[in-house]
Amino acid sequence: MSKDARNKDVDVELSPGDRKQFEALVALMARHGFGEDGPPRETTFAEIEKFGHRVGRMVGRAIDAHLASQHAEHFTGEEACPTCNEKQPPKESPHELPLQTPDGEVTLHEPTCRCSTCRRDFFPSAYPVAD
Ligand SMILES: [Zn+2]
């Protein structure tokens, strides 16, 4: 298998414009790790790789949080209780759920509804169904 074929499973395809922004983010994070001039001569590849992995986990957590927040926007109205199927309004504040991901902890802000009949909270985004 060629190197390009192996990376195809890993990399997300980007348009040329998005690729440019991605490269700008890479340059920004590299500068944070090793300064404007890049890694000094005595730097080992293991040190470079370790920093790259650390940034990858940071980006992974940020993307998880961003997408979960966007996903939560689908659940701002009344939702059916999974037990009695009665429609219930959302609670004022979402449930804070610290979640352990492969990249570290991400806190989700889950939309929450209270069923007064069943006397329980439920989290409609945890069991999404199409409208
Ligand atoms: Zn119920």
Side-chain angles (χ1 to χ4, degrees):
M1 190 188 288
S2 75
K3 189 178 70 174
D4 283 352
R6 278 195 311 266
N7 285 341
K8 207 172 173 72
D9 290 344
V10 178
D11 289 347
V12 175
E13 276 190 45
L14 299 173
S15 67
D18 288 349
R19 167 66 53 189
K20 218 172 173 172
Q21 288 189 48
F22 177 74
E23 285 165 6
L25 173 66
V26 168
L28 174 103
M29 295 312 291
R31 204 167 49 243
H32 275 278
F34 292 97
E36 201 63 52
D37 297 332
R41 183 184 166 96
E42 66 276 12
T43 308
T44 64
F45 182 72
E47 292 168 320
I48 291 172
E49 186 183 28
K50 188 176 173 188
F51 181 74
H53 188 68
R54 192 171 144 211
V55 171
R57 293 182 67 200
M58 180 182 172
V59 171
R61 289 193 312 273
I63 288 174
D64 291 347
H66 182 86
L67 290 174
S69 171
Q70 280 186 314
H71 185 247
E73 292 299 314
H74 292 292
F75 304 93
T76 54
E78 287 192 335
E79 295 288 340
C81 168
T83 305
C84 70
N85 214 31
E86 251 180 60
K87 290 270 190 178
Q88 301 295 343
K91 288 173 87 170
E92 288 275 315
S93 47
H95 175 242
E96 306 257 317
L97 177 66
L99 205 68
Q100 202 56 45
T101 77
D103 297 319
E105 190 174 291
V106 174
T107 300
L108 302 184
H109 305 278
E110 281 193 301
T112 307
C113 294
R114 174 85 189 162
C115 181
S116 48
T117 307
C118 300
R119 293 186 191 172
R120 62 176 284 228
D121 288 346
F122 62 95
F123 311 102
S125 63
Y127 311 99
V129 287
D131 289 331

